[in-house]
Amino acid sequence: MDFLKQIALPQSEAQIGVLYFVLNVIYILLLPFISYLFGALILSLYHNRKGRKQNNALSIRFSKDVIDHILPNKSILLLFGVVPYMALTFAYAQLLQDTAAISVSILSWGLLLFAAAAAFASSYQSALKVGGVLESVSANTEEMESYRTQMSETRRTSGKYALIFLVAAGYCLIAGTSLAVHPNQWQTISSAVELLFSLDVLAKLIQFVLLSFTITCLGTLFFTFSWQGGSKHLTAEYTEYVKKATLPTGLITLLLQPLFVVLSVVLLPVQSLTGLVFLSAFLVIFFVFLASHSVYGMLKGFVAGYAAKAFYLFVLALGCMVVQGTASLSGATKNSSALLAYRYTIHHEELLAKLGINLAIFSGEDIFNAKCSACHEFGAKKVGPAYKDVLPKYENDRTKLLSFVMNPQKINPAFPPMPNQGLKPAEADSIAAYIMLMYKQAK
Ligand code: HEC
């Protein structure tokens, strides 16, 4: 899927700056969403299974609620998932054009896998909903029974596939983006599978799993107890169930985060390390610390307000994690960005020329009047020598004259050195032709 890189256009430095900004925005939407969805699917599948085995209505309700929190409606999947993933792939195609990195094709596959995961997740959610309704109907006709089995079949398969595709899409996201910050691997890595053995990717995968559990647990607490006054019809048993299902896991996974933040910095290559990388890594740890304080507070004595605090603090930590990621990316792509900006200038001029717009190619006479006449005349010396005295030696050597005009050298001790006039090749060409012509006509 390298065609994406081919359609990417060269871009100026300012545009690359904008691209990094956009990338931050994309990540801030995508990272919390995709990790929450992943964590929610796992918790939901786990508790649903448990609920059916033990015939426990609380588990079943929990398995439905976790998913409903992250997917209040289907368009969320597009808005926070598919669209940002697509935008991310395009942004990387722009940044990594002209490099050998295969990140973009990995990300393109990830996008397809994610779209599949989103479709299955949404059918899983519907199956949970319909299944719940069917079970509350007391009629036990044969038809009803077959409906129920059908629904639970749909629920099982779509849940399973949603998880499998999401794991694959998450892997592509991590592998593709992590390759992008390792320019030393751009030449050697030729398939996504090779990246599985990279320490950096492994560390990020574990970090992603931890992060998913943390955000799902904190999010569930937040949406159950705090968001818009908390869920309605909370029985004491269900409250207890939610706390037990989320608080310990949330705290443990939260406390493990700093370890991986440090590791992610240590594993970066030198060219990706910038001041911003360190600063944002520090802030992640800081916010994680504050969030764990709130979660611990909830374990000690439950206060609903802490749920919101912990969730918001963790989202802030995630935001800093995103900045850390893009900061290291900008370090890694610094060289290729500079090259891109240079290509852009050329591309821009070619484009204008193609459109028939003549870019600042003034006539020789214009240039003479603007840039040379202050110091030169044809017949007499001024600051510089008279052209009639110096041009004869260039009469049969156009290139020599051109190279002097573009890059003046010290020649005659009787004169000061001529300052470089900063002419473009095309301009130097027309001024050289002009003075030579005038000189010959005067002769
Ligand atoms: C600020 C003054 C200044 C300007 C402006 C200037 N020149 Fe000169 N030019 C000089 C001086 C001084 C010399 C003599 C340098 C030397 O001999 O080392 C010189 C020498 C030259 C020579 C003779 C080189 C030789 O082989 O002896 C040429 C040709 C020339 N300039 C062309 C130009 C052209 C074309 C422009 C405009 C694009 C230009 N100069 C603008 C000051 C100037």
Side-chain angles (χ1 to χ4, degrees), residues 367-376 382-387 389-391 393-394 400-401 404-406 408-423 427-428 431-432 435:
I367 300 173
F368 176 78
N369 289 330
K371 298 211 152 167
C372 320
S373 64
C375 302
H376 291 288
K382 259 172 118 175
V383 182
Y387 281 155
D389 298 333
V390 288
L391 287 186
K393 66 175 165 196
Y394 295 111
K400 209 169 143 201
L401 178 56
F404 178 85
V405 173
M406 288 210 290
Q409 304 294 320
K410 188 75 205 90
I411 294 179
N412 186 343
F415 289 97
M418 166 170 152
N420 193 325
Q421 300 301 307
L423 299 175
E427 295 169 328
I431 178 72
I435 54 178

Side-chain angles (χ1 to χ4, degrees), residues 29-260:
L29 294 177
L30 186 62
L31 185 66
F33 181 76
I34 202 170
S35 49
Y36 197 147
L37 186 62
F38 178 66
L41 266 173
I42 293 183
L43 282 193
S44 173
L45 285 166
Y46 170 75
H47 285 271
N48 198 279
R49 224 185 124 125
K50 185 172 143 194
R52 269 161 222 285
K53 264 197 188 147
Q54 304 173 352
N55 209 359
N56 182 345
L58 294 176
S59 305
I60 305 270
R61 171 167 181 197
F62 183 76
S63 81
K64 192 175 145 309
D65 281 357
V66 202
I67 288 285
D68 286 348
H69 292 151
I70 176 79
L71 300 179
N73 57 55
K74 313 256 173 207
S75 54
I76 297 275
L77 276 167
L78 269 184
L79 230 60
F80 285 79
V82 177
V83 172
Y85 207 132
M86 198 186 290
L88 180 99
T89 309
F90 277 108
Y92 274 84
Q94 279 289 342
L95 284 175
L96 296 175
Q97 57 180 310
D98 296 324
T99 70
I102 56 162
S103 296
V104 179
S105 44
I106 299 181
L107 287 173
S108 315
W109 283 112
L111 174 61
L112 294 182
L113 292 165
F114 183 76
F120 280 116
S122 132
S123 106
Y124 173 70
Q125 186 188 23
S126 313
L128 275 181
K129 215 171 267 168
V130 180
V133 174
L134 288 183
E135 247 134 71
S136 65
V137 177
S138 48
N140 270 332
T141 60
E142 214 165 89
E143 203 188 348
M144 211 52 206
E145 263 318 297
S146 93
Y147 253 157
R148 282 181 191 144
T149 22
Q150 213 181 320
M151 258 309 130
S152 65
E153 190 54 40
T154 314
R155 192 199 62 243
R156 255 201 304 274
T157 43
S158 50
K160 190 173 75 191
Y161 283 121
L163 193 61
I164 292 174
F165 280 110
L166 198 59
V167 167
Y171 174 69
C172 289
L173 183 67
I174 291 168
T177 53
S178 125
L179 176 61
V181 289
H182 288 89
N184 52 332
Q185 299 180 343
W186 289 355
Q187 295 293 338
T188 48
I189 297 283
S190 58
S191 88
V193 185
E194 284 167 57
L195 286 162
L196 195 55
F197 306 103
S198 131
L199 192 57
D200 179 56
V201 173
L202 275 179
K204 283 205 177 114
L205 282 175
I206 300 175
Q207 190 181 10
F208 178 76
V209 173
L210 288 176
L211 202 122
S212 302
F213 277 108
T214 312
I215 193 157
T216 310
C217 290
L218 298 190
T220 306
L221 284 165
F222 170 67
F223 287 114
T224 310
F225 299 112
S226 174
W227 173 251
Q228 295 179 338
S231 299
K232 309 286 168 282
H233 320 299
L234 284 179
T235 59
E237 285 115 348
Y238 188 61
T239 309
E240 253 341 281
Y241 190 91
V242 174
K243 283 195 233 165
K244 247 174 83 187
T246 54
L247 276 173
T249 319
L251 188 62
I252 293 170
T253 52
L254 194 55
L255 288 174
L256 286 170
Q257 304 277 338
L259 191 72
F260 286 88

